[in-house]
Amino acid sequence: MTRVAAIDCGTNSLRLLIAGIDRSNGTTTLTDVVRDMRVVRLGQGVDATGELAPEALERTFAATADYAAMIREHGAESIRFVATSASRDARNRQVFVDGIRDLLGVEPEVISGDEEAALSFAGASSVLPILDGEHVLVVDLGGGSTEFVLGTAGGVTAAKSVDVGCVRLTERHLKNDPPTAEQIAAAEADVDAAITLAGLDVPLERATAVVGVAGSITTITAHALRLPAYSPAAIHGTELSIGSLTEAATDLLHMTRGERAGLAYMHPGRVDVMGAGGLVWRRILERLNELTAGRIVTATASEHDILDGIALSLQ
């Protein structure tokens, strides 16, 4: 068994997975040693300014230094640090790249949206096997972007990354607490345009099943289940109706931030952006139901995503 360390640096969160990889007997399995998440909001203001803010870089570097110590402690043999939407968009991303390299001793990879999509699909499908004949759509709803990945048991067939996410839409549109009807309509227009754009590359109408990954989607699932606390075990693999998920998403969208903060399963770093997360997931599910002529009536949440895909890519 090989021990590896994967780090996923998104617009809102920084996450670490230290795991053992066993490739014996013709299969590949991951065994978690450490799985950790910090909300660093690297994408703070990027949509408006085009640059990573100094305070956001400071938060990200501090969390990365902690992760470097944990990786040394657990003796990972290889490390991969992957950065996504906020880093792709920033003019000053070299400052970020240089800082991470100094802390970890490896070159951080600012990957394309297509590669982000493929890694998300690999992570989700590694623990939610795809049956022959299925066309599974994996939706990775992040802080700055959302990935649509259609695949079969043989792997990815089409993928597209679009620039709508919970941080980006909160900063761009949902500025009131709670947001106004006009702000919600403007954000929905952006999401609809993004779904249409994704559909040019990904035949969404061919999907036979939908799997949602990342914190906004798993938190909406927790809200739909009314969990007494956030529980990955209770959330992972849970299949719920589109009706129950859109109801939960709408509820979160219209709550005040104070009301969201009082939910036992709400991470403090998601309180301010969770309304936008609900808006994006709600609209995607509604559109998928329409595009598939009512065939898609449920969606499954996965706690395994791009982070697992990054770990699986290591030797």
Side-chain angles (χ1 to χ4, degrees):
M1 185 177 289
T2 304
R3 185 165 288 189
V4 301
I7 299 176
D8 166 39
C9 183
T11 299
N12 196 43
S13 63
L14 184 74
R15 299 183 301 150
L16 168 70
L17 172 60
I18 301 174
I21 300 184
D22 186 350
R23 301 186 190 277
S24 59
N25 302 319
T27 61
T28 301
T29 57
L30 279 179
T31 302
D32 288 12
V33 177
V34 172
R35 194 178 283 263
D36 189 78
M37 189 268 285
R38 314 279 176 93
V39 172
V40 296
R41 193 66 57 85
L42 178 63
Q44 172 192 332
V46 169
D47 187 61
T49 67
E51 292 194 347
L52 299 168
E55 59 270 32
L57 285 166
E58 185 177 340
R59 291 191 299 267
T60 304
F61 291 155
T64 301
D66 288 346
Y67 282 174
M70 294 164 71
I71 290 167
R72 289 191 299 269
E73 177 187 351
H74 291 282
E77 299 166 49
S78 56
I79 306 169
R80 188 178 183 191
F81 185 110
V82 165
T84 54
S85 177
S87 309
R88 283 196 297 267
D89 296 346
R91 287 189 297 269
N92 62 338
R93 70 180 185 181
Q94 195 59 46
V95 177
F96 165 76
V97 169
D98 292 344
I100 298 298
R101 186 197 307 112
D102 290 346
L103 289 164
L104 277 181
V106 298
E107 189 78 11
E109 302 171 51
V110 182
I111 62 171
S112 69
D114 286 347
E115 186 172 1
E116 181 179 0
L119 288 169
S120 294
F121 186 86
S125 62
S126 70
V127 291
L128 293 173
I130 299 171
L131 302 177
D132 288 341
E134 279 193 321
H135 293 269
V136 175
L137 180 70
V138 173
V139 179
D140 184 346
L141 199 175
S145 65
T146 296
E147 284 65 51
F148 294 81
V149 200
L150 190 69
T152 65
V156 174
T157 56
K160 181 67 174 180
S161 178
V162 292
D163 285 339
V164 291
C166 60
V167 174
R168 192 185 297 270
L169 289 184
T170 299
E171 292 184 348
R172 186 183 293 175
H173 296 299
L174 306 187
K175 297 178 180 180
N176 283 34
D177 181 26
T180 66
E182 292 76 15
Q183 290 169 352
I184 290 171
E188 283 187 333
D190 281 5
V191 176
D192 278 343
I195 295 170
T196 299
L197 180 63
L200 298 177
D201 291 329
V202 181
L204 302 173
E205 69 281 357
R206 293 179 60 190
T208 58
V210 180
V211 176
V213 303
S216 286
I217 290 173
T218 58
T219 302
I220 291 165
T221 301
H223 189 57
L225 295 171
R226 295 300 193 269
L227 296 179
Y230 192 91
S231 168
I235 293 166
H236 180 66
T238 294
E239 183 178 5
L240 296 174
S241 70
I242 285 180
S244 63
L245 289 168
T246 57
E247 181 181 347
T250 300
D251 195 28
L252 289 167
L253 170 61
H254 291 287
M255 282 182 176
T256 66
R257 294 177 180 180
E259 289 169 336
R260 285 188 218 123
L263 299 173
Y265 36 80
M266 181 67 63
H267 190 285
R270 299 197 191 284
V271 167
D272 61 330
V273 297
M274 197 57 235
L279 182 151
V280 175
W281 191 221
R282 178 181 75 176
R283 196 64 194 120
I284 289 172
L285 291 175
E286 290 170 343
R287 286 287 300 276
L288 286 173
N289 180 259
E290 296 165 6
L291 290 167
T292 61
R295 184 174 61 249
I296 295 297
V297 295
T298 65
T300 301
S302 173
E303 284 280 346
H304 298 267
D305 51 28
I306 187 174
L307 190 59
D308 301 72
I310 296 166
L312 289 166
S313 72
L314 290 163
Q315 301 298 318

